[in-house]
Structures are given as structure tokens and as C-alpha cells.
Amino acid sequence: MGHLGSANPPFEVSKKKAEARLEAAQERLLRLRLLLGGQIGEKKIGPPLCVVFEGWDASGKGGAIKRLVAPLDPRHVRVAQFAAPTYDEKRHHFLQRFWTVLPGRGGMAVLDRSWYGRVLVERVEGFATDEQWKRAYDEIVEFERTLTAEGMILIKFWMHVSDSEQLKRFESRRDDPLRQWKLTDEDWRNREKRGAYEAAVEEMIDRTDRPKARWHVIAGDDKPYARFAVVEQVCHVLETKLAKRGYDLSAF
């Protein structure tokens, strides 16, 4: 099955239970976020938190991000979305445009797509040369090593949906006047290259999954499951990392 595995959740959960788990996880995340920002607890500034989302088109990234940041004060989190680099951005190293959105100590950023475009869309569509995207694996690993060595908590998600579920969501967007804007001709073209993208994703995870910058593949065919799974995973990673750094979480 490779790194991606199945797009179906590992267990069935009712919509009601999924909503309850999401609400509980959101409340937990709010407490952890306030702890990081120094608003509660020992009231000291904690490490920066960066959550990166990659995934198939219509895989639920937007919905997951919306639920992740919903309980948080908008002053305490930045959401940044990345599309194709502009002409001026192409004049610089491909990592340059991401530095300005990275959080400082006590801050949190959520990235809707990221530097991994270099080894995904730029690789598959030929926007980067073979030499450029092959070199990028080591550049990305070193970039993330630099960030985590400085103290950043980095959490990376791949939102995974099956080919059949993706088609179903595409057709739903196509037929909904209020959501047609989400679907482009490029999205349809990308579907025709799913095999090439799957190979790129597998290699990306294989070569950039590191102890301090793990990939978390979320089975996304069931949207309610995927949404609480993301928030719970962020909470779990935060609790684990903070405990290792000496934070007392017993009161939270």
C-alpha cells in the first residue's frame, strides 16, 4: 500500500460521535494554544507551531483547516495559502517566499500548501528541472531541520482521498453554482496524472519524513472523521513535544 495506504478511515464513527470528538479536540487545542502563547499556565512564551497541509485536490484541506483554527482567536494564528510562484518569486530560491509567514516564538501558522510544491506539482508538470526537484529533497530536509533545531514544532499532513471519492467531489462542485469557483480546468487535468502524482507523493514522504518533522497521512474519504483526526493529531503532537520540553500539562 505504500505510505498513502487506504483513504478509508480505520474505523467507523457516527456523525454525532465525530462532532463530539471534534469539539473535545478543539477545546483541548485552544488550551494548548493559549499555553504556547503565554496567555495561561506559566505565562511564558512557548515554541512556534507550524502546521503544513498538502493533499489531493478536493481532499478536504480547507475544511480541516477551518476546524483547526475555528476555536482560536484570529490574532493568535496565521493561515497562509500558496499557489504557483509569481514572476518575481521565481527570481529567488524556491524556499524564499515561505520565510515571511513562518511563526515566531509563541506564534502559530497554518500553511495551505507549502514548499512541497517543488517535488509535487513542479516535478510532475515540468515547472522545475529534474536537477532542481531532485536536489530539493535535501534542501527541504535541511530547511526543516533548521526550523526544528531552533525550536519550532512542525506538523505535516497529507490529506488522502481515493480516486472515486475525488471524482464525486469534483462533480458536486461542478454542479453547485456557489462552489464552482473551487474547480478549475487544471484540477481536471491533474486527475489524469494521478499515477504520476502518487509516485511523487510516495517519494516525497519517503525522503522527507523525519523524527522532528513527521508526515501524518489522514484518510479523508469520510470528512467528519478527517476533521477530528487532524485536530486530535495536532493536540497529540503538541502534548508530546511540550511534555518533552518540561511543560506541566496536568492542569490542562
Side-chain angles (χ1 to χ4, degrees), residues 199-247:
V201 173
E202 289 285 358
E203 185 170 5
M204 173 193 75
I205 295 175
D206 186 57
R207 298 190 61 177
T208 63
D209 185 54
R210 294 293 186 272
K212 292 186 178 181
R214 289 291 187 198
W215 277 104
H216 305 278
V217 178
I218 301 297
D221 275 16
D222 184 328
K223 285 185 179 181
Y225 165 84
R227 289 165 179 172
F228 77 70
V230 164
V231 184
E232 286 185 347
Q233 187 63 50
V234 170
C235 290
H236 172 71
V237 173
L238 272 176
E239 290 166 351
T240 301
K241 299 289 187 180
L242 291 176
K244 289 182 178 179
R245 301 182 190 202
Y247 280 78

Short mmCIF file of all heavy atoms in Angstrom, two decimals, residues 199-247:
data_model
loop_
_atom_site.label_atom_id
_atom_site.label_comp_id
_atom_site.label_asym_id
_atom_site.label_seq_id
_atom_site.Cartn_x
_atom_site.Cartn_y
_atom_site.Cartn_z
N ALA A 199 3.17 8.60 -7.36
CA ALA A 199 4.59 8.26 -7.27
C ALA A 199 5.38 9.39 -6.61
O ALA A 199 6.28 9.15 -5.80
CB ALA A 199 5.14 7.97 -8.67
N ALA A 200 5.04 10.64 -6.97
CA ALA A 200 5.73 11.79 -6.39
C ALA A 200 5.45 11.91 -4.90
O ALA A 200 6.35 12.21 -4.11
CB ALA A 200 5.29 13.07 -7.11
N VAL A 201 4.20 11.66 -4.49
CA VAL A 201 3.84 11.74 -3.07
C VAL A 201 4.56 10.67 -2.27
O VAL A 201 5.09 10.93 -1.18
CB VAL A 201 2.31 11.61 -2.88
CG1 VAL A 201 1.96 11.53 -1.39
CG2 VAL A 201 1.58 12.78 -3.52
N GLU A 202 4.59 9.46 -2.79
CA GLU A 202 5.27 8.36 -2.09
C GLU A 202 6.74 8.69 -1.87
O GLU A 202 7.28 8.49 -0.78
CB GLU A 202 5.12 7.06 -2.88
CG GLU A 202 3.72 6.47 -2.88
CD GLU A 202 3.37 5.80 -1.56
OE1 GLU A 202 4.21 5.76 -0.65
OE2 GLU A 202 2.22 5.32 -1.44
N GLU A 203 7.40 9.21 -2.91
CA GLU A 203 8.82 9.54 -2.77
C GLU A 203 9.01 10.72 -1.83
O GLU A 203 9.97 10.75 -1.04
CB GLU A 203 9.44 9.85 -4.14
CG GLU A 203 10.94 10.08 -4.06
CD GLU A 203 11.61 10.16 -5.42
OE1 GLU A 203 10.91 10.14 -6.46
OE2 GLU A 203 12.86 10.25 -5.44
N MET A 204 8.10 11.69 -1.90
CA MET A 204 8.18 12.85 -1.01
C MET A 204 8.14 12.42 0.46
O MET A 204 8.98 12.84 1.26
CB MET A 204 7.01 13.79 -1.29
CG MET A 204 6.88 14.96 -0.32
SD MET A 204 5.29 15.82 -0.48
CE MET A 204 4.18 14.64 0.34
N ILE A 205 7.18 11.58 0.80
CA ILE A 205 7.07 11.13 2.18
C ILE A 205 8.28 10.30 2.58
O ILE A 205 8.84 10.46 3.67
CB ILE A 205 5.77 10.33 2.38
CG1 ILE A 205 4.55 11.24 2.17
CG2 ILE A 205 5.72 9.70 3.78
CD1 ILE A 205 3.22 10.52 2.23
N ASP A 206 8.69 9.42 1.69
CA ASP A 206 9.83 8.54 1.98
C ASP A 206 11.11 9.33 2.27
O ASP A 206 11.87 8.98 3.17
CB ASP A 206 10.05 7.59 0.80
CG ASP A 206 11.11 6.55 1.10
OD1 ASP A 206 10.95 5.80 2.09
OD2 ASP A 206 12.10 6.47 0.34
N ARG A 207 11.30 10.42 1.55
CA ARG A 207 12.57 11.14 1.64
C ARG A 207 12.54 12.34 2.58
O ARG A 207 13.61 12.90 2.88
CB ARG A 207 13.01 11.58 0.24
CG ARG A 207 13.25 10.40 -0.70
CD ARG A 207 13.91 10.82 -1.99
NE ARG A 207 15.21 11.43 -1.76
CZ ARG A 207 16.02 11.83 -2.75
NH1 ARG A 207 15.66 11.64 -4.01
NH2 ARG A 207 17.18 12.38 -2.48
N THR A 208 11.35 12.74 3.05
CA THR A 208 11.30 13.92 3.92
C THR A 208 10.62 13.67 5.26
O THR A 208 10.39 14.62 6.01
CB THR A 208 10.59 15.09 3.20
OG1 THR A 208 9.23 14.72 2.92
CG2 THR A 208 11.29 15.46 1.90
N ASP A 209 10.30 12.43 5.55
CA ASP A 209 9.72 12.09 6.86
C ASP A 209 10.86 11.93 7.85
O ASP A 209 11.70 11.04 7.70
CB ASP A 209 8.90 10.81 6.76
CG ASP A 209 8.19 10.48 8.06
OD1 ASP A 209 7.46 11.36 8.56
OD2 ASP A 209 8.36 9.36 8.57
N ARG A 210 10.91 12.79 8.84
CA ARG A 210 11.98 12.78 9.83
C ARG A 210 11.39 12.83 11.24
O ARG A 210 10.27 13.30 11.43
CB ARG A 210 12.92 13.98 9.62
CG ARG A 210 13.70 13.95 8.31
CD ARG A 210 14.70 12.80 8.31
NE ARG A 210 15.57 12.81 7.14
CZ ARG A 210 15.28 12.21 5.98
NH1 ARG A 210 14.12 11.59 5.86
NH2 ARG A 210 16.13 12.25 4.97
N PRO A 211 12.13 12.35 12.26
CA PRO A 211 11.58 12.30 13.62
C PRO A 211 11.01 13.62 14.11
O PRO A 211 10.01 13.64 14.83
CB PRO A 211 12.79 11.87 14.45
CG PRO A 211 13.60 11.03 13.51
CD PRO A 211 13.47 11.72 12.19
N LYS A 212 11.61 14.74 13.74
CA LYS A 212 11.13 16.04 14.21
C LYS A 212 10.24 16.73 13.17
O LYS A 212 9.82 17.88 13.38
CB LYS A 212 12.30 16.95 14.58
CG LYS A 212 13.05 16.47 15.82
CD LYS A 212 14.11 17.47 16.23
CE LYS A 212 14.83 17.02 17.51
NZ LYS A 212 15.85 18.01 17.95
N ALA A 213 9.98 16.05 12.07
CA ALA A 213 9.12 16.63 11.02
C ALA A 213 8.37 15.49 10.34
O ALA A 213 8.55 15.22 9.15
CB ALA A 213 9.95 17.42 10.02
N ARG A 214 7.52 14.83 11.11
CA ARG A 214 6.81 13.65 10.63
C ARG A 214 5.66 14.02 9.68
O ARG A 214 5.03 15.06 9.82
CB ARG A 214 6.22 12.87 11.81
CG ARG A 214 7.23 12.16 12.66
CD ARG A 214 7.84 11.00 11.90
NE ARG A 214 8.71 10.19 12.73
CZ ARG A 214 9.61 9.35 12.24
NH1 ARG A 214 9.76 9.22 10.94
NH2 ARG A 214 10.37 8.65 13.06
N TRP A 215 5.41 13.11 8.75
CA TRP A 215 4.22 13.19 7.91
C TRP A 215 3.09 12.41 8.59
O TRP A 215 3.32 11.32 9.11
CB TRP A 215 4.47 12.61 6.53
CG TRP A 215 5.13 13.55 5.58
CD1 TRP A 215 6.43 13.55 5.18
CD2 TRP A 215 4.50 14.65 4.90
NE1 TRP A 215 6.66 14.58 4.31
CE2 TRP A 215 5.50 15.27 4.12
CE3 TRP A 215 3.20 15.16 4.89
CZ2 TRP A 215 5.22 16.39 3.32
CZ3 TRP A 215 2.93 16.27 4.10
CH2 TRP A 215 3.93 16.87 3.33
N HIS A 216 1.89 12.96 8.54
CA HIS A 216 0.70 12.28 9.05
C HIS A 216 -0.30 12.18 7.91
O HIS A 216 -0.82 13.20 7.45
CB HIS A 216 0.10 13.05 10.23
CG HIS A 216 1.09 13.31 11.34
ND1 HIS A 216 1.39 12.36 12.30
CD2 HIS A 216 1.85 14.39 11.61
CE1 HIS A 216 2.29 12.86 13.13
NE2 HIS A 216 2.58 14.08 12.73
N VAL A 217 -0.53 10.97 7.44
CA VAL A 217 -1.47 10.75 6.34
C VAL A 217 -2.87 10.57 6.92
O VAL A 217 -3.09 9.69 7.75
CB VAL A 217 -1.07 9.53 5.50
CG1 VAL A 217 -2.09 9.27 4.39
CG2 VAL A 217 0.33 9.72 4.91
N ILE A 218 -3.79 11.42 6.49
CA ILE A 218 -5.16 11.38 7.00
C ILE A 218 -6.08 10.76 5.95
O ILE A 218 -6.15 11.25 4.82
CB ILE A 218 -5.67 12.80 7.35
CG1 ILE A 218 -4.78 13.45 8.41
CG2 ILE A 218 -7.12 12.74 7.82
CD1 ILE A 218 -4.76 12.74 9.74
N ALA A 219 -6.75 9.69 6.33
CA ALA A 219 -7.72 9.06 5.43
C ALA A 219 -8.92 9.98 5.32
O ALA A 219 -9.65 10.18 6.28
CB ALA A 219 -8.13 7.69 5.98
N GLY A 220 -9.13 10.55 4.13
CA GLY A 220 -10.09 11.64 4.00
C GLY A 220 -11.38 11.34 3.29
O GLY A 220 -12.15 12.27 3.02
N ASP A 221 -11.66 10.08 2.95
CA ASP A 221 -12.93 9.81 2.26
C ASP A 221 -14.13 10.14 3.14
O ASP A 221 -15.20 10.49 2.64
CB ASP A 221 -13.00 8.34 1.81
CG ASP A 221 -12.32 8.13 0.46
OD1 ASP A 221 -11.56 9.02 0.03
OD2 ASP A 221 -12.55 7.07 -0.17
N ASP A 222 -13.97 10.03 4.44
CA ASP A 222 -15.03 10.40 5.40
C ASP A 222 -14.64 11.76 6.00
O ASP A 222 -13.75 11.85 6.85
CB ASP A 222 -15.13 9.34 6.49
CG ASP A 222 -16.27 9.60 7.48
OD1 ASP A 222 -16.58 10.78 7.72
OD2 ASP A 222 -16.84 8.63 8.00
N LYS A 223 -15.32 12.81 5.57
CA LYS A 223 -14.95 14.16 6.01
C LYS A 223 -15.04 14.37 7.51
O LYS A 223 -14.12 14.93 8.12
CB LYS A 223 -15.81 15.19 5.28
CG LYS A 223 -15.43 15.42 3.83
CD LYS A 223 -16.27 16.55 3.24
CE LYS A 223 -15.88 16.82 1.79
NZ LYS A 223 -16.68 17.93 1.21
N PRO A 224 -16.13 13.95 8.18
CA PRO A 224 -16.20 14.16 9.64
C PRO A 224 -15.04 13.50 10.38
O PRO A 224 -14.47 14.08 11.31
CB PRO A 224 -17.55 13.53 10.01
CG PRO A 224 -18.38 13.67 8.78
CD PRO A 224 -17.41 13.43 7.65
N TYR A 225 -14.67 12.27 9.94
CA TYR A 225 -13.53 11.61 10.56
C TYR A 225 -12.25 12.41 10.35
O TYR A 225 -11.47 12.65 11.28
CB TYR A 225 -13.35 10.19 10.00
CG TYR A 225 -12.00 9.60 10.35
CD1 TYR A 225 -11.78 8.97 11.56
CD2 TYR A 225 -10.92 9.73 9.46
CE1 TYR A 225 -10.53 8.48 11.91
CE2 TYR A 225 -9.67 9.23 9.79
CZ TYR A 225 -9.47 8.61 11.01
OH TYR A 225 -8.22 8.14 11.34
N ALA A 226 -12.01 12.81 9.11
CA ALA A 226 -10.76 13.50 8.77
C ALA A 226 -10.61 14.78 9.59
O ALA A 226 -9.50 15.12 10.03
CB ALA A 226 -10.73 13.81 7.28
N ARG A 227 -11.70 15.47 9.82
CA ARG A 227 -11.62 16.75 10.52
C ARG A 227 -11.24 16.60 11.98
O ARG A 227 -10.37 17.33 12.48
CB ARG A 227 -12.96 17.49 10.37
CG ARG A 227 -13.17 17.99 8.95
CD ARG A 227 -14.61 18.39 8.67
NE ARG A 227 -14.75 18.88 7.30
CZ ARG A 227 -15.92 19.15 6.72
NH1 ARG A 227 -17.04 18.98 7.40
NH2 ARG A 227 -15.95 19.60 5.48
N PHE A 228 -11.84 15.63 12.67
CA PHE A 228 -11.44 15.48 14.08
C PHE A 228 -10.08 14.79 14.18
O PHE A 228 -9.33 15.04 15.12
CB PHE A 228 -12.51 14.77 14.92
CG PHE A 228 -12.62 13.27 14.78
CD1 PHE A 228 -11.64 12.42 15.28
CD2 PHE A 228 -13.74 12.70 14.18
CE1 PHE A 228 -11.76 11.03 15.18
CE2 PHE A 228 -13.86 11.32 14.07
CZ PHE A 228 -12.87 10.48 14.57
N ALA A 229 -9.76 13.95 13.18
CA ALA A 229 -8.46 13.27 13.21
C ALA A 229 -7.32 14.27 13.12
O ALA A 229 -6.28 14.12 13.78
CB ALA A 229 -8.37 12.26 12.07
N VAL A 230 -7.49 15.31 12.31
CA VAL A 230 -6.46 16.34 12.17
C VAL A 230 -6.27 17.09 13.49
O VAL A 230 -5.14 17.26 13.97
CB VAL A 230 -6.83 17.33 11.05
CG1 VAL A 230 -6.00 18.62 11.16
CG2 VAL A 230 -6.60 16.69 9.68
N VAL A 231 -7.36 17.55 14.09
CA VAL A 231 -7.24 18.33 15.32
C VAL A 231 -6.69 17.47 16.45
O VAL A 231 -5.84 17.92 17.24
CB VAL A 231 -8.59 18.95 15.72
CG1 VAL A 231 -8.44 19.84 16.95
CG2 VAL A 231 -9.17 19.77 14.56
N GLU A 232 -7.14 16.23 16.54
CA GLU A 232 -6.62 15.33 17.57
C GLU A 232 -5.13 15.09 17.39
O GLU A 232 -4.37 15.03 18.37
CB GLU A 232 -7.37 14.00 17.54
CG GLU A 232 -8.78 14.06 18.12
CD GLU A 232 -9.46 12.71 18.20
OE1 GLU A 232 -8.96 11.73 17.58
OE2 GLU A 232 -10.51 12.61 18.87
N GLN A 233 -4.69 14.94 16.14
CA GLN A 233 -3.27 14.68 15.89
C GLN A 233 -2.42 15.89 16.26
O GLN A 233 -1.34 15.75 16.83
CB GLN A 233 -3.05 14.32 14.42
CG GLN A 233 -1.63 13.86 14.09
CD GLN A 233 -1.26 12.59 14.82
OE1 GLN A 233 -1.98 11.61 14.80
NE2 GLN A 233 -0.11 12.61 15.48
N VAL A 234 -2.91 17.08 15.96
CA VAL A 234 -2.18 18.28 16.35
C VAL A 234 -2.05 18.35 17.87
O VAL A 234 -0.97 18.63 18.40
CB VAL A 234 -2.88 19.55 15.81
CG1 VAL A 234 -2.25 20.82 16.41
CG2 VAL A 234 -2.78 19.60 14.29
N CYS A 235 -3.14 18.06 18.57
CA CYS A 235 -3.10 18.06 20.03
C CYS A 235 -2.11 17.03 20.55
O CYS A 235 -1.34 17.31 21.49
CB CYS A 235 -4.49 17.78 20.60
SG CYS A 235 -5.68 19.11 20.37
N HIS A 236 -2.14 15.84 19.98
CA HIS A 236 -1.25 14.77 20.43
C HIS A 236 0.21 15.15 20.25
O HIS A 236 1.03 14.96 21.16
CB HIS A 236 -1.55 13.48 19.65
CG HIS A 236 -0.57 12.38 19.90
ND1 HIS A 236 -0.52 11.69 21.10
CD2 HIS A 236 0.41 11.85 19.11
CE1 HIS A 236 0.45 10.78 21.05
NE2 HIS A 236 1.02 10.86 19.86
N VAL A 237 0.55 15.68 19.07
CA VAL A 237 1.94 16.07 18.82
C VAL A 237 2.35 17.19 19.77
O VAL A 237 3.45 17.16 20.35
CB VAL A 237 2.14 16.50 17.35
CG1 VAL A 237 3.54 17.05 17.14
CG2 VAL A 237 1.89 15.32 16.41
N LEU A 238 1.48 18.18 19.94
CA LEU A 238 1.79 19.28 20.84
C LEU A 238 2.03 18.79 22.27
O LEU A 238 3.01 19.19 22.92
CB LEU A 238 0.64 20.29 20.83
CG LEU A 238 0.69 21.41 19.79
CD1 LEU A 238 -0.57 22.25 19.88
CD2 LEU A 238 1.93 22.26 19.96
N GLU A 239 1.14 17.94 22.76
CA GLU A 239 1.29 17.43 24.13
C GLU A 239 2.58 16.65 24.29
O GLU A 239 3.29 16.80 25.30
CB GLU A 239 0.09 16.54 24.46
CG GLU A 239 -1.21 17.32 24.61
CD GLU A 239 -2.43 16.42 24.60
OE1 GLU A 239 -2.30 15.22 24.30
OE2 GLU A 239 -3.53 16.93 24.87
N THR A 240 2.92 15.84 23.29
CA THR A 240 4.15 15.04 23.35
C THR A 240 5.38 15.94 23.35
O THR A 240 6.31 15.76 24.16
CB THR A 240 4.21 14.06 22.16
OG1 THR A 240 3.06 13.21 22.20
CG2 THR A 240 5.47 13.21 22.23
N LYS A 241 5.41 16.91 22.43
CA LYS A 241 6.56 17.79 22.31
C LYS A 241 6.73 18.67 23.55
O LYS A 241 7.85 18.87 24.04
CB LYS A 241 6.42 18.66 21.07
CG LYS A 241 6.35 17.91 19.75
CD LYS A 241 7.68 17.31 19.35
CE LYS A 241 7.61 16.71 17.96
NZ LYS A 241 8.89 16.10 17.53
N LEU A 242 5.62 19.20 24.05
CA LEU A 242 5.70 20.09 25.20
C LEU A 242 6.10 19.34 26.47
O LEU A 242 6.87 19.85 27.30
CB LEU A 242 4.36 20.80 25.41
CG LEU A 242 3.98 21.83 24.35
CD1 LEU A 242 2.58 22.39 24.62
CD2 LEU A 242 5.00 22.95 24.27
N ALA A 243 5.61 18.10 26.62
CA ALA A 243 5.99 17.29 27.78
C ALA A 243 7.49 17.03 27.77
O ALA A 243 8.15 17.08 28.83
CB ALA A 243 5.21 15.98 27.77
N LYS A 244 8.06 16.78 26.59
CA LYS A 244 9.49 16.54 26.49
C LYS A 244 10.30 17.79 26.83
O LYS A 244 11.46 17.71 27.21
CB LYS A 244 9.84 16.06 25.08
CG LYS A 244 9.38 14.65 24.79
CD LYS A 244 9.81 14.22 23.38
CE LYS A 244 9.40 12.77 23.10
NZ LYS A 244 9.79 12.36 21.72
N ARG A 245 9.66 18.94 26.69
CA ARG A 245 10.35 20.20 26.98
C ARG A 245 10.10 20.69 28.40
O ARG A 245 10.41 21.82 28.76
CB ARG A 245 9.94 21.28 25.98
CG ARG A 245 10.26 20.88 24.54
CD ARG A 245 9.89 21.95 23.54
NE ARG A 245 10.00 21.44 22.17
CZ ARG A 245 10.16 22.18 21.09
NH1 ARG A 245 10.25 23.49 21.21
NH2 ARG A 245 10.22 21.63 19.89
N GLY A 246 9.47 19.82 29.20
CA GLY A 246 9.31 20.13 30.61
C GLY A 246 8.04 20.85 30.99
O GLY A 246 7.91 21.28 32.15
N TYR A 247 7.10 20.97 30.07
CA TYR A 247 5.85 21.63 30.41
C TYR A 247 4.98 20.70 31.26
O TYR A 247 4.86 19.52 30.98
CB TYR A 247 5.08 22.01 29.14
CG TYR A 247 5.57 23.26 28.46
CD1 TYR A 247 6.72 23.24 27.67
CD2 TYR A 247 4.88 24.47 28.60
CE1 TYR A 247 7.17 24.40 27.04
CE2 TYR A 247 5.32 25.63 27.98
CZ TYR A 247 6.46 25.58 27.19
OH TYR A 247 6.90 26.73 26.57
#
